Amino acid sequence: MTRPYTDPYLAGIGVGLVLLAAYVVVGQGLGASGAFASVVASGTAAVQGTTEAATSPAVAPYLPNGIASPLQDWLVLELAGVMLGGFASAWLGGRLRRDTERGSGVSVAHRMYTAVGGGVLMGAGAKLARGCTSGQALSGGALLSVGSWIFIASCFAAGYALAPIARKLWR
Amino acid sequence: MTPLTETGWLGAAGALLAAPLIGFAFGWFLERGGLGSAPKLAGQFYLTDLTVFKVMFSALLTAMLGAFWLDRLGVLQLDLVYLPETYVLPQALGGIVFGAGFLVAGLCPGTSCVAAAAGRRDGIGVMAGMLLGVLIFNVAFHWIAPLYSATPLGAVRLTDLAGTTHGVGIAAVTAVALAGFIVAGLVVPSVLRRRLHAVLAVAAAVLASTAAIVDGGTGEFISAPDLADRIMQRAGAQRVFDLRPPVAFEQFHIPGASRVTIDDLGQIPIAPQASVVLYGDARKTVVDAARVLRTRGYQDVRVLREGVGEWLARVHEPRLAVDATPAERAEFERAAAQSRFFGGVPLSGVPRDDVPQGYWNGRPRSDALLVAAATQSIGAIRRRGC
């Protein structure tokens, strides 16, 4: 049986307390896109060899001491936790099911293309912006970082500006 | 005092142990709020479901207000929490590309993981796309690099640009967010839990407005090189007060400083027009001491933000890395002259690893300066951002 979602403001306060705990315990906020960057860097190092991979300034920062293991990275462990937490909550809430969520009138195949395509844009955009909705907007925004608020503004401005074009994806 | 990793309570291994726990709670609350479902997130862009806005901004307010008040209560040193650096152009353009992707995917990076964990194939698709997007960025980085590092502003807050206190900035952001919540309630009317929401909003408003009132500015800061210049020029009446324990003072103190306690400052005779500089171990003590002097009517009271650590690093024992940038070289020239004046030893040609991050900018991080090696591994993570 599917239970209703928690009140969004209470869920938000929960997320905020987790973010606060991250500030207190590790002195930095939450993140997500950085973990993807870390995994890609480790993959690159596995294919090219660590020395070769480290010559790229886009990859090198993610190779601590030249040892390219994603599990050594804080963000990757954190994101593994996110998946476990999401799984546990969905399970207890009766929302655990195999499904491809999409707008009505969108085929499964079409939805998978837009999911991957949207992911590609977010992956590149988050790299350029040095963070995503978690690491940049939320974690930096709560510290009043100028760049974080620039990111929030441009992200939502683009989303709303392009929303009419993408309307049939979500109708 | 916290952050635990910055104050030496928690090592790199402990931080890694905390990571999955913090992540678990993050994923839990995202899923509870409904952010594991793409159509629900996408509803934000069509104003049919404002869950994204509500969750995101109530989280932001909670963390912002919580961090401010924990700092006030002496629990958290907010200055030591990693503040992302601002690069105006790449962050604006990156935000646009990201926003377009968010609209099409219906999920953001964190929520795609939650969706995938709940069994949604589209969540897995977004995750795969993220990896591909990062890979494309890395391959194309050679061409993107000039844009990536364009228009840097450093680690700055909105309040630095506006020239106001952190407390006033917090109050402004809270006011805007609460107004947004009210508008959200008009756009998508809901009768559920209205009384609870009203109580929460009042609590946020009270915490934010008192933040604006109590934050009289943590004071005017002075950098170590500027203090050194002042002492060298012996301009006007000036006093330097050291608020650390006697043992630490005996070991080393800034030339000309006198050791005082915060109680001494209540009655110690000081020339009315004197410029006063304070430093110590605990930022709270120093800020409180500055307040005592301002209450006594002294106008020119400044705080050496990172205390003796900053003095040693930037004046007394400055270091220049082998591969120093021209800007670092210029800073070092100034520091070397000061160092010799005060009998210190300027070191040039030092390996880059021995020159901690943030060494030459105006806001060195005390722990990075003093226990550089211990914090380097975590430092590597933080430089990566999100």
Side-chain angles (χ1 to χ4, degrees):
Chain A
M1 192 201 87
T2 303
R3 304 215 185 125
Y5 290 123
T6 302
D7 178 79
Y9 293 110
L10 292 182
I13 289 172
V15 171
L17 291 175
V18 175
L19 176 55
L20 191 56
Y23 290 156
V24 167
V25 176
V26 288
Q28 63 176 349
L30 304 165
S33 62
F36 288 90
S38 203
V39 169
V40 170
S42 300
T44 309
V47 174
Q48 292 189 328
T50 304
T51 329
E52 173 67 22
T55 56
S56 163
V59 175
Y62 298 90
L63 304 173
N65 315 316
I67 306 159
S69 163
L71 287 184
Q72 291 195 328
D73 198 326
W74 197 91
L75 285 167
V76 176
L77 285 178
E78 184 235 34
L79 208 65
V82 168
M83 295 195 74
L84 278 177
F87 174 82
S89 170
W91 186 25
L92 293 174
R95 293 184 285 269
L96 202 59
R97 64 169 189 278
R98 287 194 179 196
D99 192 7
T100 308
E101 290 193 289
R102 57 196 192 275
S104 59
V106 176
S107 71
V108 170
H110 189 197
R111 168 60 183 140
M112 290 308 287
Y113 290 135
T114 60
V116 174
V120 169
L121 289 174
M122 285 193 294
K127 279 290 287 182
L128 186 57
R130 293 170 168 80
C132 61
T133 14
S134 311
Q136 194 60 269
L138 201 53
S139 305
L143 298 172
L144 306 188
S145 162
V146 173
S148 299
W149 284 89
I150 291 173
F151 177 81
I152 293 173
S154 61
C155 171
F156 282 98
Y160 282 107
L162 298 173
I165 303 170
R167 186 171 288 279
K168 64 177 184 292
L169 289 179
W170 299 112
R171 194 150 38 199
Chain B
M1 282 295 278
T2 64
L4 299 179
T5 51
E6 292 287 329
T7 46
W9 281 85
L10 195 68
L16 288 184
L17 215 61
L21 299 176
I22 288 173
F24 184 94
F26 185 28
W28 172 274
F29 284 114
L30 287 177
E31 208 287 332
R32 288 279 113 169
L35 295 187
S37 171
K40 205 166 162 59
L41 277 94
Q44 177 68 45
F45 294 113
Y46 298 98
L47 302 178
T48 51
D49 187 327
L50 304 182
T51 306
V52 170
F53 171 73
K54 291 174 185 172
V55 172
M56 192 169 154
F57 278 84
S58 52
L60 198 151
L61 289 192
T62 304
M64 180 180 74
L65 292 167
F68 176 88
W69 283 106
L70 287 185
D71 179 87
R72 273 278 141 175
L73 296 172
V75 176
L76 171 72
Q77 252 182 296
L78 195 49
D79 271 358
L80 296 184
V81 174
Y82 171 70
L83 181 68
E85 287 186 41
T86 295
Y87 290 82
V88 178
L89 202 57
Q91 277 160 344
L93 289 175
I96 290 170
V97 175
F98 186 94
F102 191 178
L103 170 72
V104 174
L107 294 161
C108 67
T111 51
S112 74
C113 296
V114 173
R120 308 295 182 272
R121 292 186 195 88
D122 47 316
I124 297 169
V126 175
M127 289 178 75
M130 282 284 302
L131 294 174
L132 190 58
V134 171
L135 187 64
I136 292 170
F137 180 92
N138 286 354
V139 171
F141 188 73
H142 180 68
W143 295 280
I144 302 169
L147 171 65
Y148 184 69
S149 46
T151 55
L153 286 188
V156 299
R157 299 175 199 269
L158 294 172
T159 45
D160 297 330
L161 292 192
T164 179
T165 66
H166 195 53
V168 169
I170 281 175
V173 169
T174 306
V176 171
L178 290 180
F181 293 155
I182 291 170
V183 173
L186 298 175
V187 174
V188 183
S190 163
V191 289
L192 291 169
R193 306 232 188 187
R194 294 184 84 146
R195 190 173 299 167
L196 173 70
H197 294 162
V199 170
L200 291 173
V202 169
V206 169
L207 286 173
S209 49
T210 43
I213 294 163
V214 300
D215 193 356
T218 42
E220 297 266 305
F221 292 101
I222 186 167
S223 73
D226 289 348
L227 173 60
D229 274 345
R230 271 200 191 184
I231 297 174
M232 287 161 74
Q233 287 159 8
R234 297 207 179 88
Q238 47 178 305
R239 301 291 297 269
V240 180
F241 292 117
D242 185 323
L243 289 144
R244 297 173 307 152
V247 182
F249 182 81
E250 293 306 325
Q251 275 175 353
F252 181 85
H253 58 261
I254 293 176
S258 25
R259 206 196 75 78
V260 292
T261 64
I262 191 161
D263 294 331
D264 297 339
L265 288 177
Q267 58 254 339
I268 203 166
I270 303 169
Q273 296 305 318
S275 319
V276 181
V277 173
L278 300 162
Y279 69 94
D281 284 335
R283 196 168 66 93
K284 187 173 183 305
T285 314
V286 181
V287 168
D288 286 347
R291 197 169 300 133
V292 168
L293 289 177
R294 290 205 187 92
T295 316
R296 283 183 67 191
Y298 293 100
Q299 302 293 321
D300 189 2
V301 181
R302 285 159 189 265
V303 168
L304 180 62
R305 191 193 288 258
E306 305 292 342
V308 165
E310 184 184 345
W311 178 268
L312 284 170
R314 300 187 71 198
V315 173
H316 209 270
E317 305 284 320
R319 296 182 194 176
L320 186 70
V322 186
D323 56 345
T325 64
E328 287 175 332
R329 249 168 233 292
E331 275 258 29
F332 183 78
E333 289 308 314
R334 181 191 187 194
Q338 294 180 335
S339 171
R340 283 189 284 270
F341 180 89
F342 291 103
V345 182
L347 295 171
S348 54
V350 175
R352 170 59 72 184
D353 284 353
D354 292 348
V355 181
Q357 255 258 305
Y359 195 85
W360 285 119
N361 65 30
R363 305 183 61 184
R365 305 159 70 84
S366 57
D367 280 51
L369 288 169
L370 301 173
V371 275
T375 49
Q376 256 171 13
S377 59
I378 290 172
I381 295 170
R382 354 172 112 244
R383 281 196 293 279
R384 275 170 245 158
C386 179

